[in-house]
Amino acid sequence: QVQLVESGGGLVQPGGSLRLSCAASGSILSVNAMAWYRQAPGKQRELVATISSDEITKYTDSVKGRFTISRANAKNTVYLQMNSLKPEDTAVYYCYTSYVSDYFPVGALDAWGQGTLVTVSS
């Protein structure tokens, strides 16, 4: 089965930076898109950033100008560079992918990572 493994979360002071990584592995023929979501305590999960197969990126308004999503296609890896972090960015960040399976390549499937905790606090 397809697995997404996230890393890079941790505790950082306001104004600091973190870089999250997510590596996809398993029976993947191709990746259609990858994205980062986040969920703060007591809040609903929200889409933070997405990057398509043709490298088009989109961001939620609250992170524009501060976060950057990028891909390393050869490794099916997605990154989220997070700068000028604020306490309100504190959340569990989840990696997501839409992909085509090389075992059953009849349509798009999706997978989620288990999440990595980002805490922004002084």
Side-chain angles (χ1 to χ4, degrees), residues 42-121:
K43 306 289 186 178
Q44 294 186 349
R45 188 174 300 185
E46 66 170 341
L47 177 63
V48 177
T50 183
I51 183 166
S52 68
S53 60
D54 56 357
E55 306 300 323
I56 296 174
T57 60
K58 295 182 179 180
Y59 302 89
T60 191
D61 289 341
S62 63
V63 307
K64 288 181 179 178
R66 300 189 297 120
F67 292 8
T68 302
I69 188 170
S70 61
R71 289 176 62 178
N73 292 331
K75 297 182 179 180
N76 290 327
T77 301
V78 64
Y79 304 97
L80 185 67
Q81 179 65 47
M82 308 164 65
N83 298 327
S84 302
L85 283 162
K86 305 174 181 179
E88 62 193 42
D89 294 319
T90 296
V92 176
Y93 284 72
Y94 297 91
C95 182
Y96 166 88
T97 185
S98 172
Y99 70 97
V100 177
S101 172
D102 62 3
Y103 181 75
F104 193 64
V106 297
L109 303 174
D110 56 26
W112 292 87
Q114 294 300 305
T116 184
L117 177 63
V118 173
T119 302
V120 184
S121 176

